Amino acid sequence: MEPQQRGDVEPYWRSAVSHVTPEKVFVRGYDLEDLIGGLSFTAASFLLIRGRLPTPQETRVLDAVLTAVLDYALQKPGTVAARYVVSANPSMVAGLAAATMAVGKHTLATEDTARFITSTYARFQESGKGMDAFAADEVVSLAERRQRIPGLGHPVFKKVDPRAAILRSLAVKEGLWNEPVQLYEAIHRAFTARPGRNDIPINDVGVMAAVLVGLGFSPEETTGLAVISTLPGVVAHISEELAAARPLRVVPDHDVVYTVPADRDFATDYKEAGWAPEQ
Amino acid sequence: MEPQQRGDVEPYWRSAVSHVTPEKVFVRGYDLEDLIGGLSFTAASFLLIRGRLPTPQETRVLDAVLTAVLDYALQKPGTVAARYVVSANPSMVAGLAAATMAVGKHTLATEDTARFITSTYARFQESGKGMDAFAADEVVSLAERRQRIPGLGHPVFKKVDPRAAILRSLAVKEGLWNEPVQLYEAIHRAFTARPGRNDIPINDVGVMAAVLVGLGFSPEETTGLAVISTLPGVVAHISEELAAARPLRVVPDHDVVYTVPADRDFATDYKEAGWAPEQ
Amino acid sequence: MEPQQRGDVEPYWRSAVSHVTPEKVFVRGYDLEDLIGGLSFTAASFLLIRGRLPTPQETRVLDAVLTAVLDYALQKPGTVAARYVVSANPSMVAGLAAATMAVGKHTLATEDTARFITSTYARFQESGKGMDAFAADEVVSLAERRQRIPGLGHPVFKKVDPRAAILRSLAVKEGLWNEPVQLYEAIHRAFTARPGRNDIPINDVGVMAAVLVGLGFSPEETTGLAVISTLPGVVAHISEELAAARPLRVVPDHDVVYTVPADRDFATDYKEAGWAPEQ
Amino acid sequence: MEPQQRGDVEPYWRSAVSHVTPEKVFVRGYDLEDLIGGLSFTAASFLLIRGRLPTPQETRVLDAVLTAVLDYALQKPGTVAARYVVSANPSMVAGLAAATMAVGKHTLATEDTARFITSTYARFQESGKGMDAFAADEVVSLAERRQRIPGLGHPVFKKVDPRAAILRSLAVKEGLWNEPVQLYEAIHRAFTARPGRNDIPINDVGVMAAVLVGLGFSPEETTGLAVISTLPGVVAHISEELAAARPLRVVPDHDVVYTVPADRDFATDYKEAGWAPEQ
């Protein structure tokens, strides 16, 4: 068989991520044997996703993003879901998948913010306007369309979210607080200049998204990185749950009201629904 | 915090689906022991989700929806994903979860169509217009906003999708081709009256969604039922894959072009990226 | 391209489940258009997995198995996990996948029982012994190896699990309480004849597994059917959770003790772990 | 039920991973604000899972483990499954969960090896024997019970798996090639001393497991870390797939043989299965 001589047919798949030969693996063009232990996991993640080696500055900022949430106790739905799952099916893999699927609209939604920044920045570049003028117009236009700016607001922190502030200062220090991120901040500034909004900070998810866009990641890739950033904590929780060895976690009865009647008669209602008794 | 004084505290959870007492399970108010073998799985599904027993007519129509797709060979991404997963992790549960997660925007997207029908029908009821007049206006308005009508069109079938036609005729026969569904059909009629569109049928996903809305299911519930309808086929495929016993399925080389360079030099590029040799 | 002339090469995949032609879908050899609404979802599931049409008796017994659990309130870990997941990521599909992955060792473990029955029955057929004699020897041998018989015992029910009893009587009535199932029952009889064990019933999961083996399903397929049997209840719970609209469910503080110190000093411990201050 | 008198009641959950107060998050006792950007993601993972800060040596070795596989092109089932999933449901999260669930018996099975090392090492410590003597006895005993030693053998590499060799030399250099790992190596030595086995190396999964056990991780935790180590590559593949924008990936027809008959007659067979024509 000479599959390479299938001539004029376009193959079904294409990939530029890695290539496996009988004795070597090439990852984004580098020999895997040079990479093992040759760069940190964070730098390797950048290489895999962005296709080139990161600078030390980029690596430090990405490390900061990946350590910005770490864990949120039993206050994160995905962690709790993972613990319930493994109490029934004691499998690390099943628990990690459950926690992964709990990332979405209401939690770690970097993707929305990243998409907002990416598309707004593209329009800014075409606009020919100055950044502050563009941001002011944008805030007016968003208000008219009653559209929310993603990544703003926090239930506890007013004016400043301390974790967001740390991330920001690291990115500034490493010279990576670049134009897309500055634009997002300009929009936040224009937004909080409006009456009654001066205490709404950019939250940690907002800054994570902004910094990742600044590092060149696509909106979907920011979600992938956000998921990875939370998994070591989930591993810790699953491990703790398996060690607790409490099979079949339930919701304790004192936390539920069941509003289920206990007196429906099946035979009566079944007949009433039109079924012949013996059907 | 004084959680022990919980007298007047609203409990954290509420549920009306079922209630477990020490010796009985009440499902939507019926004793589970009356339900086992007392009604078909399809009727039980209706009871669980809608909260009341279905009529024989409703059950037959729901059975038709649940048998409308059944299987689509190795042309359905979720089935293929499930087979790849179990070739590495030979677990029925892992395979079924993978197939489930492949239901979304591009496949079995009953949810979009159901949401379209539900919201359009609500506006129709408020409009005071006749159905055909409302549908005609709606199609004009959708065209102006360049919005797609979900559930229309098929890569092979022109004018009529035979599976959709069977579902429709069964719903008509059972008296369940009701107003929301009629409205969707009126919109399709108005849409295909426009030039160049007379050969675009309502497809099977479109009719499934319409019939399920007609049976009273919410958009999200239609997705749940669509998932369930495909799982027996996935069980069959996973079982076939486990029996084939080909560990670690890959993509055959003749189907891929790898565009990965093989000559990048790590030491050179690492230094160039700004890293000290020994860092 | 003439892929059919790839001649002597064995294709990478084989499948006997269904085949899609440009205008028809053949499911296990039948035209899908004949199946839609032509048989119940339960009968279609049997056809897909076992490869042939079921008899009415087989269909009724399978329906009984598929309605034997239905729902277990917030006492089933998978259901609770699904609700946590959708409170963060409001997606029906994500919730169903989470519930699916919670089926395993400690819940709905029909697979273990089915594997026990299948392998024991194979040895019985080779043994040439009578059923009761074989069962008695088997129980002795299991006791010597300290091996548990799967599918026995219930936290509440002594002697008889009422749901299991209903399933059993239906299978007997339909003539499907066949040899593999009888053998499992004989083993249970021999087991409970031993002192101090006379109140241990076959539980619902045990009878579900036995009846499914009697219907010809493989151990893995029994898991698949067990998963499907619980999903309508999960759809109901997810729908209830989405309607409750409580984003980001947590574990209420009154249910947790956190044993996390709050006074570790990072700078001190970091240095002590061997890191240079500025590294 | 008097849930309000909960004074002496043991709470349902306990956790030592992190604690969230109104204004601070404490991760394993450290203020999260000190950790963000204060340590690498790899070091943070160690802290989260093991409960203490790692030394620089431990961090470098863990980095080497986390970069030991990175990616394996379209030769890894989980990666392929993820791409199929997102071709239907274009969601990063769904793809990552699918890839996660493909880690199991046949791939990245560090858990088996880790469990083997952990339990063998515990027996070694109780044995009072020298390491080589214990290893020799162990290999004899395993052979008698026809038990496989996990983590050995590779389809391509004979004698030495180069990636495994790199990992090993890094662990040795950092002083972390400790007793449990040495025992595993002694067993490998005793095993390959037997005739016909002198070319069977410890493979990369074997060394990953051994090194992680040496770092103090439990068998389940090694699986969690193995999953995390592959996810950046999966993010890259999902991103590539979403950019390719080929909705609904299938298995190309030239790769499948369908052995589905096309001539079964439903009406005939249905009657033959015992169903009345109109049932």
Side-chain angles (χ1 to χ4, degrees), chain D residues 148-224:
Chain D
R148 214 174 56 81
I149 302 170
L152 305 189
H154 193 280
V156 167
F157 301 117
K158 303 300 166 197
K159 304 213 175 191
V160 174
D161 178 332
R163 291 156 308 168
I166 296 167
L167 259 188
R168 182 194 187 283
S169 72
L170 276 162
V172 169
K173 180 181 157 200
E174 302 290 358
L176 288 161
W177 194 255
N178 47 26
E179 273 216 324
V181 191
Q182 289 166 20
L183 176 65
Y184 183 55
E185 207 169 30
I187 289 172
H188 174 249
R189 235 176 3 247
F191 176 75
T192 50
R194 294 165 71 96
R197 282 166 184 166
N198 72 327
D199 63 348
I200 297 177
I202 303 182
N203 59 37
D204 53 346
V205 169
V207 175
M208 279 174 76
V211 170
L212 290 172
V213 168
L215 288 171
F217 293 102
S218 74
E220 293 86 359
E221 288 163 357
T222 70
T223 299

Side-chain angles (χ1 to χ4, degrees), chain A residues 41 96 228 231-232 235, chain D residues 41 66 223-232:
Chain A
F41 177 71
L96 292 177
I228 291 171
L231 290 186
V235 171
Chain D
F41 176 71
L66 292 177
T223 299
L225 289 163
V227 167
I228 292 171
S229 80
T230 66
L231 289 186

